[in-house]
Amino acid sequence: MEELVKQINEVLAEEFEVEVSDITADANIKETLGLDSLSLVDMVALIESTFGVKIQGSEVGTIKTFQNLYDFIAARKN
């Protein structure tokens, strides 16, 4: 899981131009990455293509923190 977290953080930091150190497990994804509704769609597409998981529209609202995202991806990759 630690390697997966590191990979997720690096991908998101690069794509959304934030420092990796700004990304913490309990941080709010939208606030930390500065996402609006359009860039949220971009993030979902990036996660899906990079990690090979599918995020349904109804599931997006349940992913509020980076820990939620880590758990979501980890559960679907295995």
Side-chain angles (χ1 to χ4, degrees):
M1 179 76 159
E2 187 177 323
E3 186 60 36
L4 179 62
V5 167
K6 182 178 179 213
Q7 188 179 7
I8 293 167
N9 290 353
E10 289 173 355
V11 166
L12 292 176
E14 181 178 333
E15 179 69 23
F16 295 99
E17 300 176 353
V18 299
E19 296 295 323
V20 173
S21 60
D22 292 341
I23 300 175
T24 61
D26 60 347
N28 181 285
I29 292 175
K30 288 182 182 180
E31 291 173 9
T32 304
L33 300 180
L35 302 180
D36 59 19
S37 57
L38 186 56
S39 53
L40 181 62
V41 172
D42 292 340
M43 186 201 75
V44 168
L46 176 67
I47 293 296
E48 289 180 342
S49 65
T50 304
F51 298 100
V53 298
K54 187 78 178 139
I55 304 174
Q56 301 298 323
S58 60
E59 295 170 319
V60 173
T62 67
I63 302 172
K64 297 189 184 318
T65 67
F66 288 97
Q67 187 64 56
N68 296 151
L69 182 62
Y70 306 150
D71 294 342
F72 182 91
I73 294 170
R76 281 153 183 80
K77 281 187 69 71
N78 297 332

